[in-house]
Amino acid sequence: MNDPELAKQILDAQNRDSRLDPSSDSEDFADGPDDSPGWQPQYREYDLHAKMLGDLINGVAALNQAVIASAGGKARKVDTYPVPATALPQAEIDQAREDGDAILNMLGMGDAIET
């Protein structure tokens, strides 16, 4: 689940008929701000017990927010308990960029973005 090549193959198999021409030679966009979370558990160490404990932690945090809000206070946003990251979401982002580049190239605007 953490292999980028396998994630790309899975995504290609799911979207086999809906892809645009991936043969364009366009470069990837520059990396934006880092939106990745801090610590995340390893996928190989994440089991049913870890998921259940994470769900329990998220439930208690939501209950705290509900109690604060019902008492008239302002409930702050609480981050959810982290789960393991796999390569599939990154493959989806890469595919979306490739499809966007293909559309821009079809419209003749591929060079306008590379500044």
Side-chain angles (χ1 to χ4, degrees):
M1 292 301 293
N2 244 353
D3 183 18
E5 293 175 9
L6 179 62
K8 185 165 177 35
Q9 289 175 358
I10 292 171
L11 196 59
D12 287 342
Q14 289 174 351
N15 301 322
R16 190 166 311 235
D17 297 328
S18 63
R19 294 281 317 263
L20 293 174
D21 183 18
S23 63
S24 66
D25 293 334
S26 60
E27 296 290 325
D28 289 336
F29 291 110
D31 292 334
D34 184 18
D35 293 335
S36 62
W39 174 83
Q40 290 180 317
Q42 294 292 322
Y43 187 77
R44 65 180 174 270
E45 298 170 354
Y46 194 73
D47 60 354
L48 179 61
H49 295 100
K51 182 186 178 340
M52 291 172 61
L53 286 173
D55 290 345
L56 182 62
I57 290 169
N58 291 336
V60 169
L63 182 61
N64 282 339
Q65 298 304 78
V67 169
I68 290 170
S70 67
K74 181 171 170 127
R76 63 180 174 84
K77 182 180 181 299
V78 176
D79 294 330
T80 58
Y81 191 77
V83 296
T86 61
L88 192 57
Q90 185 60 42
E92 290 173 347
I93 291 170
D94 293 342
Q95 178 184 345
R97 286 182 179 162
E98 289 174 7
D99 290 347
D101 288 344
I103 290 171
L104 290 175
N105 286 335
M106 284 190 287
L107 296 174
M109 298 172 35
D111 296 331
I113 301 297
E114 296 179 20
T115 56

